Amino acid sequence: MKFSFKSLILASAVAFTAASCTQEGKENADAAAANTEAAAENAGDAAAAEANNAAVKTEDAAENAGQAVENTAEKAADNTEAAADKAAAETKEAAAKTEGAADKAAGDAKAEINAATRKN
C-alpha cells in the first residue's frame, strides 16, 4: 500500500505541476492576446493621425496654391491697367502733337494762300 500511496502522491504532484503550467500558459496567451490587441489599436490610431495630418497638409497646400493664383491674377490685372493707362496717355499725347502739326500746317497753308493772293 505504501507503494501505491507514493505513486498516488507523485501522480498528484505531476498533475498539479502540469495544471499549473497549463494555467500559466493560458495566462501568458491571454496577456499576449491583450498586447496584440493594444498594438493593433495603437497602429490604427497612428494611421488615423497620419491620415488626418496628410489631409491638413493637403488642405493647406490647396489654400496656398489658391492664394498664389489670386495674387498672380491681381498682379496681371494691375499690369494690364497700368499698360492701358500708359497707352491712353501716349495716344492722347500723339493726338495733341498731330493736332498741333495740323494747326501749323493749316496756318502755313493759309499764309501761303494769302501771300499768293496779295502778289496777284
Side-chain angles (χ1 to χ4, degrees):
M1 192 85 178
K2 229 178 177 186
F3 179 70
S4 295
F5 185 69
K6 281 185 179 181
S7 296
L8 183 63
I9 290 178
L10 182 61
S12 295
V14 168
F16 179 75
T17 303
S20 294
C21 289
T22 303
Q23 181 63 31
E24 185 178 337
K26 182 181 179 305
E27 289 171 2
N28 287 343
D30 289 345
N35 288 340
T36 302
E37 185 178 347
E41 205 171 293
N42 289 341
D45 290 346
E50 282 298 316
N52 188 45
N53 288 342
V56 168
K57 287 180 182 179
T58 301
E59 186 177 333
D60 288 346
E63 189 174 322
N64 290 341
Q67 188 63 45
V69 168
E70 187 177 326
N71 291 343
T72 301
E74 285 179 15
K75 286 179 184 177
D78 290 345
N79 289 342
T80 301
E81 186 177 345
D85 289 347
K86 184 178 178 184
E90 289 174 356
T91 301
K92 188 175 180 180
E93 184 181 337
K97 287 181 180 178
T98 302
E99 187 178 347
D103 287 346
K104 184 177 183 292
D108 290 347
K110 188 176 182 181
E112 286 182 25
I113 291 171
N114 284 338
T117 9
R118 284 189 196 147
K119 288 183 186 178
N120 288 336

